[in-house]
Structures are given as structure tokens and as C-alpha cells.
Amino acid sequence: MPTGSCLYGAITYEYTGEPIQTARYRAVLSYVLIGIGENIDCGSSLYVQPDYMKAVTVIKAETLDSESGNIIITTERYTKSRRDFATPILGAIQAESM
């Protein structure tokens, strides 16, 4: 079961099941999309629940513990604004927008 925490570990979380999608946005941040959960405030952003995706919780992959395993990024979004230093992820869907 994947687990994670905020920057200093003050708040921890875990989730069950498989991600709906794993994505990298603007070639900087990676996210794991899972089902609905409660919003946690710990001084650093752990996840969001966008208004346009009511049944989805978006977890910042950077908050996952290293013991949670290797997250395979399946989609890159906003590739049109990809930074020069970021190379495309081999095998990932390349999308210029959402």
C-alpha cells in the first residue's frame, strides 16, 4: 500500500488500489490520480481535488515515500511548454494540454 507524508513527516497518508493515471505536468511535477479522500493541510501541498474532476484526488508524487515503489509515468501533459532540460518520458502519452 503506497504511503507518503508532507515535507517534515508531520502528516502521513496511504492509499489503496491502482492509480487511474500517473502523469507529469509541464515536465516538472509528477502526480498520481486516485479516488476521493479528505483534504489534509500540513504546510506543504500533498494533494488537490479539482472542481472539474470531483471523483479524483491528485497526489503530488514527490510526497510518496521511496518504499512505495517505482511510479511509472503514463502521460505527460502540457508538453508544448516542456522545459528544455526535460526529455520526454519514453512510452508515455505526449499531450500538449489536459
Side-chain angles (χ1 to χ4, degrees):
M1 186 174 327
T3 60
S5 66
C6 57
L7 185 60
Y8 299 110
I11 294 177
T12 60
Y13 66 88
E14 63 182 25
Y15 71 88
T16 58
E18 291 298 314
I20 297 167
Q21 180 183 86
T22 55
R24 181 167 77 170
Y25 288 76
R26 293 186 177 88
V28 177
L29 300 173
S30 301
Y31 295 91
V32 177
L33 279 63
I34 63 169
I36 291 180
E38 291 184 28
N39 197 359
I40 299 171
D41 180 17
C42 74
S44 61
S45 177
L46 294 176
Y47 66 88
V48 297
Q49 291 177 295
D51 289 337
Y52 59 91
M53 294 190 291
K54 296 281 188 197
V56 171
T57 298
V58 180
I59 296 175
K60 279 190 149 184
E62 291 80 7
T63 67
L64 289 168
D65 297 331
S66 59
E67 296 82 23
S68 291
N70 194 16
I71 302 293
I72 307 286
I73 302 298
T74 59
T75 306
E76 288 192 84
R77 302 228 180 259
Y78 301 108
T79 57
K80 188 174 182 177
S81 60
R82 182 191 330 260
R83 305 291 181 155
D84 291 339
F85 60 81
T87 58
I89 296 173
L90 186 62
I93 296 167
Q94 303 293 308
E96 288 190 0
S97 64
M98 281 298 286

